[in-house]
Structure formats: structure tokens, C-alpha cells
Amino acid sequence: MRTFRRGRPLTPTLSRTGEGARRGLHPAWLAFLGLLLLALPARAGSLDRAGIERFFPAPLVVGERDDTVPVWPILKQEAGSYEVFAYAFESIDLAPIPGFGGTPPNLLVALAPDGSFRDVKVLSHHEPVFLEGLGSEPLFAFVEQYVGLSARRAIRVGRANARANGAAPQSVVDGISMATASTRVINESILNASLAVARRKLGFGAAANVGLKVEAKIAIYAPMTFDDLIAQGYARRFVVTNGEAEAAFRGTSVEGRAEGPPDAPLTDLVIAYLNVPTIGRNLLGENRFSALMRELGPGDHAVLVVSAGPLNPLGEDFVMGSIPDRIAIQQEGLVINARDMAIERRGAGMAGLPEGPWTILKIASQAGFDPSRPWTLSERIVRERGQILTEKVSRDFAIGYALPDTLFTREKPDAGPSWADSWAARGWELGAIAASLGLLIPVLVRQRGLVADQRRFEPFRLAFLAFTLLFIGWYAQAQLSIVTLVGLVRAAVGSGDLSFLLYDPPSLLLWAFALASLVVWGRGTFCGWLCPFGALQELAAWPAKRLGLRQVAVPPALDRGLRLVKYGLLAAILGAAALSSPLTDSFAEIEPFKTAITLYFVRSWPFVAYAAGLILLNLFVYKGFCRYLCPLGASLALGGRLRLLDWIPRRSECGSPCQLCKVRCRYGAIEPTGRVDYAECFQCMDCVTIIHDPGQCVPQVLARKRGRRIIPQPVAAE
């Protein structure tokens, strides 16, 4: 390392490449890489038939597992035959999105034929916040919210109690405080896996339209008669004769029950999409069309169904505002949820429109319905036999409907990737952290500025540490952890998907800054300024120092040995992760971060006692955990060997004869020779303050007393 004669400008210098080469690869990394080579990826569902049957006991029956998609049909008996009750599958087979433990959560999902969730269960997970933290009960309660919701909707995770505060219960689930990122990963796992099954088993072709905004062009209008609308295909007449119905029921127990001539209509419907002004205004009239458009929500659609035949498609017991039992709208194989708008049935429409029973069906914007593409309307015709034990047989009849796409505007909002919501929701937190980093950088760079003034610098440091603890740690939950490195290892030997990092923007911002600062300053920038638990220790030690609490002097030989412990812990944790050992999460508990920062000490007493014990130890052995036990600090110390700058200024007198900086360094990062051990430096800047202070720096004090001028003369590096 380059040193300087008295009086030479104290500026950082580039490390010699020879020194970096001599450092070599740390033994902990060699051990870890060896274990990594032995690891084999394992990502597959865990349930066989017996396992599935435990979740779906009799009278439900588990069918044969699909050969093309890992799905188990769950059957129930209806009227002497078996119908599909649900499709059961494991999310890890279809959407293995890594969580913050590095491995995907695995959930058992039961999807009904209509696309709604019958059940969702957590089979396994490695989410740190729920492992010996909050416990798994909040996670179990979180996934229970999906029961009854539809995979056709874009479900998002809101804040805790979001639905109680007015969020739509059909499209929002309540999040969990302190587990925002984990719940978003789980939400994406459930939805992505469910849509994959729905497309293959339920014909969810229109699922890709969720979020698509298709609107009729209001400016396009032409007056037309009813016959003109029929001729243009803007309104469709749907007729099923008695003969066609009889042919459909041929061979059943209700054959031969037609009640009229074969060519007479059994059902005669007129259907029309009303949002297009040329259709809606002509059919309903100006006033009723305007009222309808006001009642529809943004992106909603309205379909008119009018009956002119003897068969009422709504049924005699139809309730206004409900979903008709016998009418269904489908698009690309997906049944679209269409509900009666409960509009009072008064007055007829335009001339030529039948005067029979009618309904206006509302299709919500979340259904993914695209009126500019073909769709079908089907009617179910039911025949009955017997008066005591009635047997019902039904057949479906359908008609297609399509309008020119020139009548519509199409807008597909760029929703962005699944993690984009996290960045939008936490934008101001990111701004606050970025601003704090923007403040910190010039303070550290300009050593002759604030750092050189001890009276001003000490309050600044304490205030910044308080911000780190209170905002970065306890509020933004951005405590970096060895758990992230465990996740990286698990992802590396598994799917290779690192997207889980993007679900926690504040932590990712700090990781980016910490890695960049490694190259410039070493580990000290994060460990000394941005680690919330480190800040908690330092803030706790500050009043103890003022009260004169005496520190324990660790013998140098023991100190050197203890500093190696953290590297052994790092190798053990990452090695266990590479081998997919179940002990990995237990090993990671050597960090008290989850207890002290993520969970605010709200945890079972052994964990609280351990974290509190480390803070108490810190009062006597300053930052003992950071110096001896922290595996994250060990990883940063190894990464800090790439440091480009020996940025802490030194004088030739440093170490011989002056030992002031060494004595004042509470981390023991300055050797007796005056050399700085950057792997152990926490960038507290005390030594930098001393060397720039003419009243503290011993060589400057002596030179001033002797009235001598110090002339800089470089000294060759050792």
C-alpha cells in the first residue's frame, strides 16, 4: 500500500494489482464452490395420488392425473354420473417463482370449472418472514382469501385490511405487514399457475385479455331500422326449431317430447351488443341508450337478449340482477360472467324488435371480454321426465356474433411485469432512501469537509444511523441479509430465476449501492452506515460510552481467531443452501436481523433473548456480532477485496511512532504498523477525522509545536 511522508496531500490511491493478486481466493469461497458443484436442482410437486386424496376425501373422487399438464381432476357424483368438481395442482409445477428464500413457494390450488378458486393451501415455503418469525398462520390466512375469487380477474395484493377500507373484494386480497414482497410472490405463483391450468383445461383463451380496454367509437353513428341492423349483422336472430331440438335429444329418455310442428320455433332470440351507438341508440332510443351508458362502469359491456319464441330463456323463476341459468356468453372457450342489469322492463324498443321477455346482460371490465372479436351466446334447453323422481336432460344451442373491429378502439395497458406494482407502491420510500444515499456520498468523498470537523460530523453520523434504523430498517424493511444470498444460491442450483429480488425495491436499491461501494470503499459503507442492526448496536453503545461503561479488551490472538468465525458460518450457510439442506434456514438464524428489525422483537423468547444478548454484548465488545459472527459481513468483506482505492489517508508516522488511530479504532481495523485492514473497517471515519484535525493528529501537533514546516516526501510502498 502506498504511504506518504509528512505533509503529503492525503488522497486515496489505487490499490496495486500485485496486492490484489496476492490476496487470492478466500478459503470460504473455495469451500462454498466445491459444495455448489455437488448440488443438483430439484423442482417438482410433492403430492402423489394418496397425498391429493388427503386434501379431497370422500365423497369426492380423485381422477387420473393428466399426462400433458400436472393436474388432478377432482370429481363428484351428480345424478348418477361424475362431474368435475375442481382441477387440483401444485403451483411449483407450473409457476416456480422463487421467493425470498430462493426457492418457489408450493401451493395446492383447486380451480373450479368456472375459473373460481375452490381452495388454496400452502404445502411448503422458505419465506424468511414466516419461518420462526410471524409464523405460518398469517400466510395460511392470506391464501384463504382466494377461495371464491376468480382466476379471470387480475387479483392484486393490497395493504393490510385493504378490503375493509373499501378495496374491491373481487380483485384485491389483504396484504400482510412486514411481508409485502413475499405475499406478492405468492400471489403471482397462484395466478400464473392457475391461468396455465385454465388455458389448458378450461379453455381460458380470453384470459390474455384481462386488462384490455376495448371501447366502442362514440362518434360512429348511423340511423338504421331493425331490418337494417339484422342485415348488417349488428343484431342477430337466433332460432331453434322444434325439429332441431328433437334431433338434439334423440336417443335420450326425453326424446319425442316436442310440443309443436318440427319447423315451428321453440326459441327465437334477438341478441345485440349495445355499446356501439349505431346499435344501442337505434334499438333503445336516445334517452334509454344515454341512461344505459351512464349506468355502465368504465370498460363494462352490455348485451341485449330479447325473446320472440314460446320458450322463455330466463325461466319463470328468474330474479332480476342475477346471472341467467340458461343463457351464457363465451369467447375463445371462456365463459364470460354476464349478469342481468336489473333494469326495469318498461316499454318496447324500436319498431320490429320483439316484445317478449328480455334482459340486458352486463359484462364487467375485469372479465377480459373483447367485443371486437367473435363471441357466442348459448341457450340451454332443458326437458324433464317424471313427476316424482324428475329426470332432467339438457342440450346447449349457440349462435356466433361478431362486429367489425373498425367500430372499436383497443388499448392494452402496459401493466409491466408482475413486480412492477412493488416499485410503484414504494416509490416515495425509494426516493427517500436514494436521497439519503445522495447525501452520504459527498460526505464520505469530501474528507476535508464535514468529516474533518468532529463537532459537526458526530451529530451527523448519529442522525444518519437513526434514519437507517428507523426508516430503512423498521419502516421500509430494507435490512439486507444473508437470506438474500441463500436465495441466490438456491436459484442458481434451481430455476436460475432471480426475479424474486425485484419484489423488494428498497432492499434491491441498497444491494446495488452496497455492491458499488464495495469497489470504491470496501464493506464499511454498508456495515458502518446502512445496516439497520449495525445502527441499532451503535446507537445503543453511544450512551454507554458517555456513561463510561468499560469495554472488554479481547486479546489480539483471540481476536484474530474470532474474526475467522464469520467466514466459516458463511461457508456453512451457503453450502447448506447449495445442497438444499433443511438446516439452511436454521443456520441463517445466526443473524438477528429478522428478530430485531423485520419483526420488531415480536417473536418467541429464545430469538428475542439472542438478539437482545447481542446488543448487550455490543456494550462491552463493540459490535461483537458484526466483527465475529455476521455472515453477511463476511460476504461483503470478501467482495471488498475488489476495492480499487486505499481511501483512508495514512502518514509515515502512522504506526511508528503514532498509535492514536489504532487506539481510537473501536473495530480493531488498524494494525500496529498503521496499516488499515479494510476487510474489518466499518467506515466510521474516526481515523479520517483525526488525521485531518491539526489538534488531534500527533505528527501535526508536534510539527506545530516545533515551528517546523512539513514537506511531503513519498515513501516507497512496503
Side-chain angles (χ1 to χ4, degrees):
M1 181 177 65
R2 188 181 301 274
T3 56
F4 298 87
R5 285 284 188 193
R6 291 178 295 179
R8 181 172 178 83
L10 303 173
T11 55
T13 62
L14 289 175
S15 297
R16 295 175 181 267
T17 55
E19 181 184 356
R22 289 196 302 271
R23 289 171 178 160
L25 193 61
H26 198 281
W29 283 118
L30 294 174
F32 163 63
L33 292 175
L35 291 170
L36 187 63
L37 293 175
L38 298 175
L40 293 175
R43 294 288 184 272
S46 59
L47 297 179
D48 55 11
R49 173 181 290 277
I52 292 290
E53 287 175 343
R54 287 196 296 271
F55 288 96
F56 302 98
L60 297 175
V61 176
V62 178
E64 294 298 323
R65 192 172 188 263
D66 196 291
D67 293 333
T68 59
V69 59
V71 173
W72 298 86
I74 310 300
L75 311 174
K76 69 174 182 178
Q77 193 170 17
E78 289 285 347
S81 63
Y82 285 98
E83 294 185 357
V84 175
F85 172 75
Y87 291 100
F89 51 91
E90 295 178 65
S91 64
I92 200 170
D93 286 327
L94 298 156
I97 302 174
F100 276 81
T103 58
N106 191 19
L107 303 112
L108 178 64
V109 181
L111 198 64
D114 65 356
S116 63
F117 292 101
R118 297 278 193 196
D119 202 359
V120 180
K121 299 289 187 186
V122 178
L123 297 178
S124 65
H125 71 91
H126 288 88
E127 294 307 292
V129 71
F130 297 115
L131 293 173
E132 295 294 340
L134 295 174
S136 294
E137 287 74 16
L139 178 57
F140 298 158
F142 172 76
V143 300
E144 287 176 0
Q145 298 178 87
Y146 288 84
V147 177
L149 302 184
S150 175
R152 292 194 299 246
R153 295 180 179 270
I155 301 172
R156 65 180 180 86
V157 178
R159 293 189 177 272
N161 301 317
R163 295 199 288 184
N165 293 327
Q170 300 87 358
S171 57
V172 175
V173 290
D174 292 341
I176 302 175
S177 298
M178 300 177 287
T180 303
S182 291
T183 51
R184 285 193 170 114
V185 169
I186 290 169
N187 180 61
E188 292 303 318
S189 300
I190 294 172
L191 294 184
N192 289 356
S194 299
L195 288 176
V197 171
R199 291 187 183 102
R200 299 290 296 274
K201 305 300 294 184
L202 308 181
F204 253 56
N209 292 339
V210 174
L212 178 67
K213 185 178 181 181
V214 182
E215 294 183 340
K217 295 179 180 178
I218 301 299
I220 299 180
Y221 171 75
M224 289 188 178
T225 65
F226 178 72
D227 291 337
D228 292 336
L229 293 173
I230 293 291
Q232 289 287 336
Y234 290 174
R236 294 294 309 275
R237 196 121 195 186
F238 178 29
V239 178
V240 178
T241 65
N242 287 317
E244 291 170 335
E246 183 63 27
F249 286 104
R250 187 168 295 135
T252 68
S253 59
V254 292
E255 180 182 359
R257 291 183 172 269
E259 297 181 356
D263 56 350
L266 173 62
T267 183
D268 184 355
L269 304 180
V270 174
I271 64 173
Y273 177 78
L274 295 176
N275 293 53
V276 174
T278 298
I279 303 173
R281 284 175 60 183
N282 283 308
L283 284 173
L284 303 179
E286 180 65 37
N287 292 336
R288 296 185 69 178
F289 174 74
S290 299
L292 174 67
M293 292 299 103
R294 288 193 299 270
E295 188 166 343
L296 288 175
D300 293 344
H301 311 275
V303 174
L304 175 70
V305 180
V306 182
S307 175
L311 185 64
N312 181 0
L314 300 179
E316 299 301 329
D317 55 352
F318 175 73
V319 177
M320 293 175 62
S322 65
I323 299 175
D325 292 332
R326 298 183 182 182
I327 299 176
I329 293 176
Q330 297 184 5
Q331 188 170 58
E332 298 182 2
L334 172 64
V335 176
I336 303 296
N337 188 22
R339 183 180 297 273
D340 177 75
M341 289 190 67
I343 294 177
E344 187 176 356
R345 273 72 167 158
R346 288 188 304 176
M350 69 184 304
L353 187 66
E355 298 182 1
W358 60 275
T359 179
I360 294 179
L361 300 175
K362 177 182 177 180
I363 302 173
S365 59
Q366 297 90 344
F369 178 66
D370 182 356
S372 67
R373 303 182 65 178
W375 51 275
T376 62
L377 182 139
S378 64
E379 180 182 5
R380 174 165 294 183
I381 297 178
V382 181
R383 287 184 178 181
E384 299 181 3
R385 185 174 72 92
Q387 295 182 348
I388 299 177
L389 297 176
T390 303
E391 179 184 1
K392 294 183 178 181
V393 180
S394 64
R395 292 291 185 268
D396 291 334
F397 299 83
I399 184 174
Y401 188 94
L403 294 173
D405 58 11
T406 55
L407 297 175
F408 301 92
T409 60
R410 297 169 57 87
E411 180 182 349
K412 180 67 174 179
D414 185 11
S418 58
W419 44 261
D421 286 345
S422 303
W423 291 78
R426 309 189 72 177
W428 83 273
E429 297 173 26
L430 292 171
I433 295 174
S436 69
L437 299 179
L439 173 65
L440 179 62
I441 291 173
V443 169
L444 299 180
V445 169
R446 295 184 68 251
Q447 295 184 5
R448 292 187 178 275
L450 183 62
V451 173
D453 187 341
Q454 185 176 14
R455 289 176 301 176
R456 292 191 300 144
F457 178 67
E458 184 177 9
F460 170 81
R461 177 164 172 79
L462 291 174
F464 197 96
L465 292 175
F467 172 83
T468 295
L469 174 62
L470 299 175
F471 186 84
I472 294 178
W474 283 337
Y475 184 84
Q477 294 284 289
Q479 169 74 67
L480 303 192
S481 168
I482 192 64
V483 171
T484 303
L485 300 185
V486 168
L488 292 174
V489 172
R490 284 171 167 164
V493 300
S495 64
D497 185 359
L498 304 181
S499 62
F500 68 94
L501 296 172
L502 299 172
Y503 286 86
D504 188 4
S507 295
L508 187 59
L509 174 60
L510 284 181
W511 271 114
F513 183 81
L515 293 177
S517 67
L518 285 179
V519 180
V520 181
W521 291 303
R523 74 175 279 196
T525 309
F526 172 75
C527 294
W529 291 89
L530 298 170
C531 176
F533 186 73
L536 175 59
Q537 292 179 92
E538 190 160 340
L539 291 171
W542 185 79
K545 180 182 178 182
R546 292 295 183 273
L547 294 173
L549 193 64
R550 191 170 181 178
Q551 292 275 304
V552 175
V554 181
L558 179 59
D559 179 72
R560 288 192 297 270
L562 290 175
R563 290 179 190 272
L564 297 177
V565 173
K566 59 180 176 287
Y567 297 103
L569 293 172
L570 173 66
I573 293 171
L574 298 187
L579 295 173
S580 300
S581 170
L583 297 175
T584 306
D585 298 311
S586 298
F587 287 170
E589 289 293 345
I590 192 67
E591 284 185 340
F593 304 163
K594 185 194 306 182
T595 301
I597 304 301
T598 306
L599 300 176
Y600 315 113
F601 291 97
V602 181
R603 206 176 181 191
S604 57
W605 74 265
F607 296 100
V608 174
Y610 172 65
L614 290 175
I615 296 173
L616 182 63
L617 171 68
N618 161 72
L619 303 182
F620 299 94
V621 180
Y622 190 65
K623 286 197 172 180
F625 169 78
C626 304
R627 292 158 61 185
Y628 302 136
L629 297 176
C630 182
L632 177 64
S635 66
L636 294 175
L638 292 174
R641 299 175 76 85
L642 301 174
R643 186 192 73 260
L644 298 177
L645 297 176
D646 291 335
W647 60 272
I648 298 178
R650 300 282 81 198
R651 298 184 185 276
S652 60
E653 293 87 355
C654 293
S656 178
C658 183
Q659 294 284 317
L660 179 60
C661 290
K662 175 187 178 302
V663 173
R664 293 275 186 90
C665 182
R666 292 175 290 175
Y667 301 97
I670 299 179
E671 299 176 357
T673 62
R675 176 183 177 273
V676 177
D677 184 355
Y678 284 92
E680 301 298 330
C681 174
F682 284 66
Q683 206 169 355
C684 68
M685 309 297 283
D686 285 350
C687 62
V688 179
T689 300
I690 291 172
I691 208 166
H692 285 300
D693 186 352
Q696 293 190 74
C697 181
V698 175
Q700 294 191 67
V701 172
L702 294 176
R704 189 172 64 252
K705 286 182 177 180
R706 295 168 184 171
R708 296 174 56 186
R709 183 182 176 202
I710 304 177
I711 302 174
Q713 295 182 12
V715 176
E718 299 176 358

